[in-house]
């Protein structure tokens, strides 16, 4: 089954100066792999790959990204910052959910994306890890000149963000 990145029915999507809704499906896939980092709630890790291989996976699926020593060093540094450097040779099934979540965060950040989309990125982390990961996420975003868009139920995270949209307003017919 071939997966397609959908485009809006009205309007356009502009990410980091690229009108994503105006480029081909193939170009959108390449753009997604190179410019957008995803932190999925279910981690979206490949169990047949080690944590290290999962983190470096974007470099294996597009020729736009070059896997070199700097990238490997960045992956190691991200893993160290997330506290999983000693788990890089383990497969996801041998990791706790919190460790899997930290691998997913490293995966989202390794390409230095311009947009980081996060769905409950800290949901499986203990309070200390949560703060450390948030610091890392915002530090990496600032270094890459990236925007972070997060979905969360954790109201403790809200002060860390510049702008907050409460989706309950949409249900009530209001505008944010």
């Amino acid at each position: 089954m071939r997966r397609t990145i959908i485009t809006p029915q009205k309007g356009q999507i502009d990410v980091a100066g690229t009108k994503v809704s105006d480029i081909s499906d193939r170009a959108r896939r390449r753009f997604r792999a190179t410019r957008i980092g995803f932190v999925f709630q279910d981690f979206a890790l490949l169990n047949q790959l080690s944590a290290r291989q999962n983190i470096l996976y974007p470099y294996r699926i597009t020729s736009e990204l070059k896997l070199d020593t700097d990238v490997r060093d960045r992956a190691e540094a991200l893993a160290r910052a997330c506290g999983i450097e000693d788990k890089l040779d383990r497969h996801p099934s041998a990791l706790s959910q919190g460790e899997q979540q930290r691998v997913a965060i490293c995966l989202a950040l390794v390409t230095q994306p311009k947009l980081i989309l996060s769905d409950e990125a800290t949901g499986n982390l203990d309070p200390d890890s949560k703060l450390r990961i948030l610091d890392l996420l915002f530090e990496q975003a600032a270094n890459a000149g990236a925007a972070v868009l997060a979905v969360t139920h954790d109201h403790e995270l809200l002060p860390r963000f510049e702008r907050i949209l409460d989706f309950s307003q949409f249900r009530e017919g209001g505008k944010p």
Side-chain angles (χ1 to χ4, degrees):
M1 181 169 103
R2 186 168 178 209
R3 295 187 182 227
T4 304
I5 301 169
I6 61 172
T7 56
Q9 293 178 1
K10 286 174 65 174
Q12 63 187 17
I13 298 172
D14 186 316
V15 179
T18 299
K19 287 186 172 73
V20 180
S21 48
D22 291 348
I23 59 178
S24 71
D25 185 53
R26 180 181 175 136
R28 281 192 303 275
R29 276 193 231 118
R30 190 171 45 248
F31 183 85
R32 183 181 75 176
T34 60
R35 306 289 296 230
I36 302 175
F38 290 93
V39 182
F40 294 103
Q41 191 171 12
D42 67 353
F43 318 127
L45 301 175
L46 299 174
N47 200 48
Q48 65 270 27
L49 301 179
S50 68
R52 177 181 286 105
Q53 291 167 325
N54 268 286
I55 293 168
L56 295 172
Y57 185 69
Y59 292 87
R60 305 235 185 254
I61 61 171
T62 181
S63 61
E64 297 287 313
L65 295 170
K66 303 295 180 211
L67 182 57
D68 58 21
T69 303
D70 288 340
V71 171
R72 291 180 191 281
D73 290 347
R74 185 168 51 252
E76 296 278 336
L78 287 167
R80 192 170 31 263
C82 287
I84 56 167
E85 69 274 12
D86 60 333
K87 311 226 180 331
L88 289 174
D89 294 323
R90 294 187 188 174
H91 290 256
S93 61
L95 299 172
S96 71
Q97 285 199 331
E99 291 163 344
Q100 288 179 46
Q101 189 148 42
R102 288 180 271 168
V103 171
I105 289 165
C106 293
L107 166 60
L109 297 175
V110 73
T111 62
Q112 299 175 311
K114 293 297 181 190
L115 176 61
I116 302 165
L117 301 175
S118 165
D119 184 7
E120 298 290 355
T122 59
N124 289 295
L125 302 178
D126 62 81
D128 291 335
S129 294
K130 177 171 65 172
L131 294 176
R132 183 176 52 190
I133 295 305
L134 281 174
D135 288 343
L136 175 68
L137 186 66
F138 284 107
E139 173 190 307
Q140 293 293 311
N143 290 344
V148 177
L149 190 141
V151 175
T152 186
H153 292 96
D154 187 346
H155 289 239
E156 288 180 23
L157 305 183
L158 300 182
R160 301 290 300 265
F161 290 89
E162 268 180 45
R163 185 169 178 209
I164 300 163
L165 298 177
D166 184 343
F167 278 83
S168 67
Q169 292 175 321
F170 292 111
R171 285 194 305 262
E172 297 162 6
K175 291 187 178 183

